[in-house]
Amino acid sequence: MPYAGGEKETLLASLRRHRDAALWKLEGLDDEQLRRPMTPSGTSLLGLVKHLASAEYGWFVESFGREAEPLWFDPYEGEDMRADQGETTAQIVEFYGRANAAADRVIAELDLADLGRPAWRDQYVTLRWVLVHMIEDTARHVGHMDILREYLDGATGVVRPG
């Protein structure tokens, strides 16, 4: 964490810390546990990672005019929140890694004040706003993952020890 870094460096470090926590929540569980629906709406640990990946592609990549990889699911129908379209755990984790890398490239290329326009919104957003939004969204979903993980095996904690 860059405790004395600039604004962009600090925001990106925060986002990366929450991304790491999301993946940490998957460690040590088998495939059935990772995709087990834990809420009436079907939320699972793996589904949350899939959602975060599609959100990073949408907010960072598509909003700023870059091309995202084709999705095999429809996020507008809630399919990004479920891990039930025949995908493997490795496929979703790798998808998240590619989404993170694509987002990081956009972040590196642009200034915080640069504008993008999400296809699903009628307004422009700055890269700064998107970074803050994705930090909030990722942190919120890592909190959900912490609760799901506790229900699955009793493990708690929102920050990787060490």
Side-chain angles (χ1 to χ4, degrees):
M1 181 68 121
Y3 294 106
E7 184 180 8
K8 185 195 272 191
E9 182 183 20
T10 300
L11 291 169
L12 182 55
S14 179
L15 178 58
R16 286 179 174 159
R17 183 169 177 249
H18 292 302
R19 288 171 175 168
D20 289 346
L23 293 175
W24 173 50
K25 290 295 164 189
L26 306 181
E27 290 180 9
L29 296 176
D30 63 32
D31 193 63
E32 185 279 325
Q33 290 170 310
L34 292 173
R35 64 183 62 248
R36 183 186 307 167
M38 298 295 295
T39 66
S41 64
T43 303
S44 69
L45 290 171
L46 206 53
L48 287 168
V49 172
K50 184 177 168 186
H51 167 72
L52 289 170
S54 69
E56 290 221 15
Y57 268 127
W59 280 110
F60 287 112
V61 179
E62 294 173 3
S63 293
F64 291 95
R66 305 321 195 268
E67 191 169 328
E69 69 179 83
L71 302 179
W72 66 92
F73 57 90
D74 186 348
Y76 298 105
E77 294 297 321
E79 292 176 4
D80 65 331
M81 293 293 286
R82 299 187 317 269
D84 61 1
Q85 285 84 36
E87 61 269 288
T88 66
T89 296
Q91 181 183 5
I92 291 174
V93 170
E94 290 165 6
F95 173 56
Y96 190 44
R98 291 189 307 275
N100 294 169
D104 286 355
R105 284 190 297 276
V106 172
I107 294 164
E109 293 170 6
L110 299 177
D111 292 325
L112 290 174
D114 285 344
L115 293 173
R117 185 167 182 275
W120 60 94
R121 295 251 172 138
D122 250 353
Q123 66 215 30
Y124 285 88
V125 293
T126 64
L127 177 61
R128 177 183 292 104
W129 186 91
V130 172
L131 270 162
V132 170
H133 173 71
M134 282 307 305
I135 290 166
E136 293 169 342
D137 197 42
T138 305
R140 181 171 55 96
H141 288 311
V142 168
H144 298 148
M145 293 174 82
D146 194 45
I147 293 166
L148 299 183
R149 181 67 191 250
E150 185 175 357
Y151 277 124
L152 282 165
D153 71 352
T156 60
V158 293
V159 178
R160 182 189 301 261

